[in-house]
């Protein structure tokens, strides 16, 4: 592995999935296995439909057998169905360019899901947290202000990670401000 950044478990199969960031791939380790399998990417870093580029976060949908993957270097999130040889862009520019609209990202760092399957993405260089309703590529800024870095209680500076608790409170690793911000349920 080279700089693994995210790990999560498929509750149904108990397999572990790891973003092998600088190897530009997602690895799966079945329960009690000592070796893993490449399930997405692994074709060098890039923006073609068979490549990932610096994946920093991912989540697995058991119902669709699909990974949702954050591609940091190509400023997008992609879907990769297990067993397929390629991926499709979920949100962000297809060409990998950074952007700041509701369907664009700039340096997305991680993602988490809530119990309803909604997505929360740390959009690092836009200094915001984007919220995506289940299966909707149009996001809403729920923390920070797009394109504005700051240190007051409503602004973020390069958010790098995000978590959601059972009451849907949001916790943000506010990297540039050296703090954890808590935002009450929106």
């Amino acid at each position: 592995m080279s700089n693994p950044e995210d790990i999560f478990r498929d509750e149904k199969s108990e397999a572990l999935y790891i973003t092998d960031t600088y190897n530009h791939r997602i690895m799966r380790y079945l329960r009690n296995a000592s070796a893993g399998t490449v399930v997405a990417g692994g074709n060098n870093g890039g923006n073609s439909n068979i490549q990932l580029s610096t994946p920093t976060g991912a989540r697995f949908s058991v119902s669709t057998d699909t990974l949702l993957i954050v591609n940091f270097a190509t400023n997008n999130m992609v879907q990769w169905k297990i067993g397929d040889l390629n991926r499709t862009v979920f949100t962000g520019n297809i060409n990998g360019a950074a952007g700041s609209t509701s369907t664009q990202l700039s340096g997305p760092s991680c993602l988490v899901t809530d119990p309803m399957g909604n997505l929360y993405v740390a959009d690092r260089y836009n200094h915001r947290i984007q919220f995506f309703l289940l299966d909707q590529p149009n996001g809403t800024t729920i923390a920070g202000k797009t394109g504005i870095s700051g240190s007051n209680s409503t602004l973020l500076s390069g958010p790098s990670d995000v978590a959601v608790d059972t009451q849907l409170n949001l916790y943000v690793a506010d990297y540039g401000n050296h703090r954890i911000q808590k935002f009450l349920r929106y």
Side-chain angles (χ1 to χ4, degrees):
M1 298 238 177
S2 181
N3 288 27
E5 295 219 11
D6 195 13
I7 185 170
F8 58 96
R9 188 171 148 245
D10 170 7
E11 298 293 329
K12 185 176 178 184
S13 71
E14 297 185 356
L16 289 178
Y17 290 85
I18 301 170
T19 58
D20 190 2
T21 302
Y22 290 155
N23 284 323
H24 311 288
R25 64 187 183 180
I26 307 297
M27 297 294 295
R28 177 177 60 192
Y29 291 82
L30 299 175
R31 186 171 187 221
N32 297 323
S34 59
T37 305
V38 176
V39 292
N43 299 304
N44 298 314
N47 197 35
S48 79
N49 69 348
I50 64 165
Q51 294 175 303
L52 297 175
S53 189
T54 320
T56 54
R59 289 297 174 267
F60 180 70
S61 170
V62 174
S63 63
T64 62
D65 206 26
T66 302
L67 289 163
L68 187 61
I69 304 164
V70 173
N71 266 332
F72 181 83
T74 53
N75 304 298
N76 58 28
M77 288 193 304
V78 299
Q79 294 174 315
W80 198 305
K81 186 169 177 64
I82 300 297
D84 284 357
L85 299 176
N86 55 27
R87 49 115 172 140
T88 58
V89 173
F90 172 74
T91 197
N93 283 329
I94 292 171
N95 65 7
S100 59
T101 69
S102 63
T103 59
Q104 296 175 323
L105 301 166
S106 183
S109 298
C110 75
L111 79 136
V112 296
T113 55
D114 64 22
M116 289 76 65
N118 301 313
L119 303 170
Y120 302 77
V121 178
D123 191 11
R124 180 175 273 185
Y125 301 135
N126 279 323
H127 309 289
R128 67 185 181 183
I129 304 300
Q130 286 294 89
F131 172 76
F132 297 88
L133 289 170
L134 177 65
D135 298 327
Q136 298 298 313
N138 196 11
T140 302
T141 301
I142 60 169
K145 188 166 182 182
T146 303
I148 299 175
S149 175
S151 60
N152 70 30
S153 63
T154 62
L155 296 176
L156 301 169
S157 180
S160 61
D161 205 351
V162 62
V164 179
D165 67 19
T166 57
Q167 284 78 45
L168 299 182
N169 295 309
L170 188 70
Y171 300 85
V172 179
D174 191 6
Y175 181 83
N177 287 318
H178 311 283
R179 66 184 179 188
I180 303 297
Q181 284 275 78
K182 178 181 179 181
F183 297 91
L184 298 179
R185 183 179 178 156
Y186 59 96

